[in-house]
Amino acid sequence: MPSAASAASLLPVLLEVNCSREENKGGLRPEDLPELSDKLVSLTGVSVRGLMTMAAYSDDPQQCRPTFAELPQLRDAMRTRTGLELPHLSMGMSNDFEVAIEEGATLVRIGTTLFEGLGEPRG
């Protein structure tokens, strides 16, 4: 498999940030972003296009708002520190995407919503 550095174009990536601070979730700790930001500008082969996060699951989407509100703040600090554009914020899933959009999401993951009602897959 070719590496990103050997590809004809840069590989666009999003950095996952654990804004919910759940131990069972992956991603960078928000407090580690400033140090990492200093290293981002020297990366070759990849283009950091933004940040992503997942909120803790809740039946009440409003409970996700603090997690989603933190990501644009982190992105803005990284923009200032690095000069990178960082146009994308990926946050929100089928149960909370509306709140995520209100907080600035540019990408949402709504697979469950899309595939509900389609019935059983044909085989």
Side-chain angles (χ1 to χ4, degrees):
M1 174 180 281
S3 70
S6 67
S9 62
L10 296 177
L11 181 66
V13 299
L14 301 177
L15 299 176
E16 184 174 0
V17 183
N18 187 349
C19 292
S20 68
R21 292 163 178 81
E22 291 179 276
E23 291 184 22
N24 64 332
K25 286 203 168 81
L28 302 161
R29 297 180 317 165
E31 58 271 18
D32 292 337
L33 280 178
E35 182 180 341
L36 178 66
S37 295
D38 295 338
K39 298 174 183 178
L40 291 178
V41 294
S42 64
L43 289 178
T44 58
V46 297
S47 172
V48 179
R49 305 294 295 148
L51 304 175
M52 62 183 287
T53 197
M54 289 180 61
Y57 181 82
S58 174
D59 288 331
D60 178 6
Q62 293 301 323
Q63 295 297 313
C64 302
R65 191 174 296 279
T67 296
F68 295 149
E70 184 176 16
L71 201 64
Q73 294 171 2
L74 294 169
R75 187 262 327 264
D76 293 347
M78 285 183 66
R79 278 179 169 167
T80 299
R81 192 172 183 119
T82 65
L84 295 172
E85 185 179 342
L86 305 171
H88 296 294
L89 292 175
S90 176
M91 52 189 182
M93 297 179 72
S94 292
N95 63 312
D96 56 20
F97 72 92
E98 290 153 328
V99 172
I101 291 169
E102 290 171 1
E103 294 297 334
T106 61
L107 301 166
V108 294
R109 297 174 300 278
I110 55 171
T112 301
T113 298
L114 291 174
F115 293 106
E116 283 178 346
L118 290 180
E120 293 294 315
R122 297 182 207 184

